[in-house]
């Protein structure tokens, strides 16, 4: 069983942690900027909903793949509190650093959405909310399933040391599953899979409709996927983090 590492508050002052936080902020900011910007652009163009959904899905797929590739070496490029929780559940990051990452990701999301609002002349920032006819329980389950598939992909293609011929393809494959999930769930729950992706638009727009769904669903799905993959499928070739060691 993977042991969750608590870490130490001194991590926040270590150079590698500071560098990771800077890169995590940059990559999350650019991811949110492109993702939310694509959604705002789709609303502005007022085109066919099916084309708009595909456009938003592809934008997310591409920017996720690129930002993970850009930040993987330094911060891991989580871009997402649910990803951070999934890695925490597998013992790959300490609790202390996870909290720092969550704060970092939320601040980056708010900054990206605020800048988009300014650059677009105050256009409405689209939020994630449940579609008509979709209940809260349905939305939570949808987000659990979608986020589970995201974290399962992250573990299988990036975290697992025995990736085989998938070596180096993890960022692209993760981006592709994000895009596919948006196509599958975008018309129902919005397919957030990411509390930070939902938090920035909600704060900037002041619209918190159904917002809790995009915390509960992704965090359950991400944490569950990380726990299951790490404890049942991964072959450990490293020493897990202890409760005292930094990430």
């Amino acid at each position: 069983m993977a042991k969750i590492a608590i870490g130490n508050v001194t991590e926040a002052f270590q150079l590698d942690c500071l560098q990771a936080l800077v890169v995590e902020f940059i990559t999350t900011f650019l991811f949110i900027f492109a993702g939310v910007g694509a959604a705002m652009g789709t609303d502005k163009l007022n085109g066919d909903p099916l084309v708009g959904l595909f456009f938003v899905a592809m934008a997310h797929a591409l920017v996720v793949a690129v930002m993970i590739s850009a930040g993987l070496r330094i911060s891991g490029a989580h871009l997402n509190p649910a990803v951070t929780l999934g890695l925490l559940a597998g013992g790959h990051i300490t609790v202390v650093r996870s909290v720092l990452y969550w704060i970092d990701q939320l601040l980056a999301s708010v900054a990206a959405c605020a800048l988009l609002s300014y650059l677009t002349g105050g256009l409405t920032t689209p939020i994630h909310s449940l579609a008509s006819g979709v209940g809260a329980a349905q939305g939570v389950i949808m987000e659990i399933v979608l986020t589970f598939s995201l974290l399962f992909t992250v573990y299988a293609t990036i975290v697992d040391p025995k990736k085989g011929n998938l070596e180096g393809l993890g960022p692209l494959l993760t981006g592709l599953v994000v895009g596919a999930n948006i196509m599958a769930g975008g018309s129902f729950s919005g397919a957030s899979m990411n509390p930070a992706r939902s938090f920035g638009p909600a704060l900037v727009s002041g619209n918190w409709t159904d917002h809790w769904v995009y915390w509960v669903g992704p965090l359950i799905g991400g944490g569950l996927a990380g726990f299951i993959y790490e404890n049942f499928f991964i072959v450990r070739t490293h020493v897990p983090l202890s409760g005292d060691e930094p990430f």
Side-chain angles (χ1 to χ4, degrees):
M1 296 286 286
K3 180 181 178 181
I4 294 179
I6 303 300
N8 192 295
V9 292
T10 59
E11 287 183 60
F13 306 101
Q14 294 172 352
L15 179 60
D16 68 316
C17 184
L18 294 173
Q19 290 176 329
L21 290 173
V22 171
V23 171
E24 186 68 15
F25 183 92
I26 292 171
T27 52
T28 304
F29 175 94
L30 295 175
F31 154 61
I32 299 292
F33 189 89
V36 176
M40 294 174 75
T42 299
D43 287 349
K44 180 177 175 62
L45 294 174
N46 199 26
D48 181 84
L50 182 60
V51 175
L53 179 63
F54 180 78
F55 178 77
V56 171
M58 287 305 300
H60 281 77
L62 293 172
V63 73
V64 165
V66 173
M67 288 303 109
I68 292 177
S69 298
L72 186 60
R73 180 182 67 84
I74 300 174
S75 74
H78 298 184
L79 316 177
N80 182 345
V83 171
T84 302
L85 181 62
L87 294 173
L88 172 64
H92 294 278
I93 185 172
T94 65
V95 172
V96 170
R97 189 169 295 205
S98 293
V99 172
L100 295 173
Y101 268 41
W102 291 331
I103 295 170
D104 210 32
Q105 292 154 355
L106 296 178
L107 290 176
S109 178
V110 172
C113 292
L115 182 59
L116 279 168
S117 178
Y118 169 73
L119 295 176
T120 59
L123 285 180
T124 300
T125 307
I127 66 163
H128 285 124
S129 61
L130 301 177
S132 176
V134 178
Q138 294 168 310
V140 169
I141 294 171
M142 175 70 80
E143 290 296 322
I144 289 174
V145 173
L146 296 178
T147 313
F148 185 97
S149 74
L150 167 59
L151 264 294
F152 195 86
T153 302
V154 168
Y155 262 86
T157 65
I158 297 176
V159 178
D160 194 333
K162 293 192 174 182
K163 292 180 281 292
N165 57 8
L166 296 179
E167 187 71 45
L169 294 177
L172 174 61
L173 296 175
T174 301
L176 290 177
V177 80
V178 168
N181 283 348
I182 291 174
M183 292 180 194
S187 300
F188 304 101
S189 70
S192 168
M193 301 167 278
N194 185 338
R197 170 64 180 81
S198 300
F199 180 78
L203 183 65
V204 171
S205 68
N207 186 346
W208 300 93
T209 303
D210 303 319
H211 184 69
W212 67 272
V213 169
Y214 304 103
W215 283 87
V216 175
L219 291 179
I220 291 176
L224 189 61
F227 177 82
I228 289 175
Y229 197 99
E230 179 68 34
N231 290 289
F232 294 99
F233 303 118
I234 206 165
V235 177
R236 288 181 175 274
T237 58
H238 64 282
V239 178
L241 292 171
S242 74
D244 312 302
E245 295 173 345
F247 175 64

